Amino acid sequence: MALIVQKYGGTSVGTLERIQAVADRVIRCKEAGDDIVVVLSAMSGETNRLLGLAQEIDENASEREKDVLVSTGEQVTIALLSIALQKKGCDAISMTGDQIRMHTDNAHGKARITDIDDHNIHAHLKDNKVVVIAGFQGRGPDNYITTLGRGGSDTTAVAIAAALKADECQIYTDVDGVYTTDPRVEPKARRLESITFEEMLEMASLGAKVLQIRAVEFAGKYNVPLRVLSSFTEGNGTLISYEGNKMESPVISGIAFNRDEASLTILGVPDKPSVAASILAPIGDANIDVDMIIQNSMGDNTADFTFTVHRNDYKRAKELLEETSSKLGAREVQGKDSLAKISIVGVGMMNHPGVAKTMFETLGDEGINMQLISTSEIKVSVVVDEKYLELAVRALHSAYNLEQ
């Protein structure tokens, strides 16, 4: 007998028919002898609908009240699934984040989990029940309802799996696993049988949308084996663990990309130790995340400083940089907001020289200019004009033989 935590996303429970299908899948697993805990998201589009209602009343509605509002979406799905399971003869009970005592901090809308009291869950499992839990929500120190932010149900599921010491946490979604790249861009993309936490974390942070970054971080921290599966088709999905497939680790496991990059450059700043802090402090104070950073000394006691931000933050970041430019006596501020970041990821590249060379040569052969480059032990990222994104992904996928 194994203890399995299953999480179903919004598309998986988007209609009553799909909720019935989830119930059938849960019952099959239960009949196989496993203890099952199910974590659910709200129905697809429901969270946006609820937030839209709040915005119609007050565009500046308090975060506390919005948490109370949007947490109802998951309560609907857990009740409906429990009813469906009971109707089919499977004993089940629905529980909210408060009822399982999922404790969080008080950061409404983006709370972080601090502790889970697993006593109630274990008690119901001991009674041979399927426990159906509302994802995305918890209880703050003041006993108010909190939510974990977008994709928080993934984090809920992993946290519960860690607390219960589950044998596996299964994330059911609308894809049947993790692919070498987005199949919509490269039809030859191949589903991976396994991938390491390190690789998945890099791919999630670099643009792959299969799993929420916080969920992967949590799983890696507590060594919770994750498996990504399809709600709509049968299959083994992709296993994410520390082991991965070390015996036959490919040099490159996948290609991630992000279409929403923008870059900013401040030219002719004083070349001294404090200049980077002077440039980036106002950006950070404005809650703007900075990604890639490059500083070039120009030989005349000045330097050019370039960094990337999300395209949505480009306008505000440029305004702040122009203010900083005036204070520092810099020569000019330049920017571009039609960029994309492409990254190759793989633990195998640590022991294989020449990986970056292949990437650069492949892009060069396609006439694609690299505007920024960033590397780590298991990834190489480049920034290119967005119009070359799909061409670059397909060329790199072929160059590294990822379709095989």
Side-chain angles (χ1 to χ4, degrees), residues 310-330:
H310 192 280
R311 191 175 299 171
N312 292 344
D313 295 319
Y314 172 74
K315 184 178 179 181
R316 179 59 179 151
K318 189 175 183 184
E319 290 172 353
L320 293 169
L321 194 60
E322 286 169 345
E323 293 174 9
T324 301
S325 175
S326 298
K327 293 176 184 177
L328 294 176

Side-chain angles (χ1 to χ4, degrees), residues 200-260:
M200 191 66 243
L201 188 58
E202 288 284 7
M203 291 185 71
S205 67
L206 294 167
K209 302 293 194 295
V210 178
L211 286 172
Q212 190 209 37
I213 296 172
R214 280 172 63 187
V216 182
E217 289 175 339
F218 215 112
K221 180 178 180 181
Y222 293 99
N223 195 14
V224 177
L226 276 177
R227 190 178 296 273
V228 179
L229 298 141
S230 170
S231 298
F232 311 115
T233 60
E234 297 297 328
N236 294 325
T238 300
L239 177 65
I240 305 161
S241 67
Y242 275 118
E243 287 77 17
N245 188 16
K246 289 183 178 178
M247 291 296 291
E248 294 291 340
S249 289
V251 178
I252 301 299
S253 292
I255 301 171
F257 57 83
N258 183 3
R259 298 178 185 272
D260 300 317

Side-chain angles (χ1 to χ4, degrees), residues 65-130:
E65 299 307 330
K66 286 195 289 186
D67 273 1
V68 174
L69 177 65
V70 298
S71 65
T72 63
E74 281 71 21
Q75 290 171 222
V76 170
T77 52
I78 61 172
L80 290 174
L81 179 61
S82 294
I83 291 169
L85 288 167
Q86 292 164 8
K87 175 72 172 177
K88 295 173 185 289
C90 178
D91 199 2
I93 184 169
S94 64
M95 301 185 75
T96 65
D98 183 46
Q99 289 169 329
I100 65 165
R101 300 195 182 105
M102 176 174 283
H103 301 285
T104 73
D105 61 22
N106 245 352
H108 288 288
K110 52 182 178 182
R112 302 190 74 85
I113 299 167
T114 57
D115 183 53
I116 297 175
D117 182 348
D118 59 2
H119 174 78
N120 285 346
I121 303 174
H122 275 301
H124 290 304
L125 290 173
K126 190 175 180 180
D127 288 339
N128 203 33
K129 293 179 180 178
V130 172

Side-chain angles (χ1 to χ4, degrees), residues 207-372:
K209 302 293 194 295
V210 178
L211 286 172
Q212 190 209 37
I213 296 172
R214 280 172 63 187
V216 182
E217 289 175 339
F218 215 112
K221 180 178 180 181
Y222 293 99
N223 195 14
V224 177
L226 276 177
R227 190 178 296 273
V228 179
L229 298 141
S230 170
S231 298
F232 311 115
T233 60
E234 297 297 328
N236 294 325
T238 300
L239 177 65
I240 305 161
S241 67
Y242 275 118
E243 287 77 17
N245 188 16
K246 289 183 178 178
M247 291 296 291
E248 294 291 340
S249 289
V251 178
I252 301 299
S253 292
I255 301 171
F257 57 83
N258 183 3
R259 298 178 185 272
D260 300 317
E261 293 287 317
S263 71
L264 288 160
T265 300
I266 181 169
L267 303 172
V269 297
D271 192 4
K272 58 183 182 181
S274 62
V275 70
S278 301
I279 293 168
L280 295 179
I283 306 295
D285 291 343
N287 255 349
I288 297 173
D289 289 329
V290 172
D291 185 12
M292 301 167 72
I293 302 172
I294 294 177
Q295 180 172 325
N296 293 319
S297 296
M298 305 310 292
D300 58 354
N301 294 321
T302 68
D304 295 341
F305 191 92
T306 300
F307 60 93
T308 61
V309 297
H310 192 280
R311 191 175 299 171
N312 292 344
D313 295 319
Y314 172 74
K315 184 178 179 181
R316 179 59 179 151
K318 189 175 183 184
E319 290 172 353
L320 293 169
L321 194 60
E322 286 169 345
E323 293 174 9
T324 301
S325 175
S326 298
K327 293 176 184 177
L328 294 176
R331 187 168 68 252
E332 184 184 0
V333 170
Q334 296 177 349
K336 192 168 185 179
D337 65 350
S338 56
L339 301 173
K341 180 171 69 174
I342 303 166
S343 308
I344 55 172
V345 178
V347 293
M349 72 170 65
M350 288 189 289
N351 301 313
H352 289 78
V355 173
K357 173 176 173 286
T358 298
M359 184 183 199
F360 302 156
E361 286 179 346
T362 301
L363 296 177
D365 290 344
E366 297 292 342
I368 301 172
N369 184 42
M370 297 176 293
Q371 303 190 21
L372 291 167

Side-chain angles (χ1 to χ4, degrees), residues 175-205:
V175 296
D176 63 348
V178 180
Y179 277 71
T180 49
T181 195
D182 189 336
R184 292 169 295 186
V185 171
E186 173 50 87
K188 296 178 183 177
R190 176 176 51 84
R191 180 179 59 82
L192 299 168
E193 294 292 333
S194 64
I195 189 172
T196 67
F197 283 123
E198 297 94 331
E199 290 170 323
M200 191 66 243
L201 188 58
E202 288 284 7
M203 291 185 71
S205 67

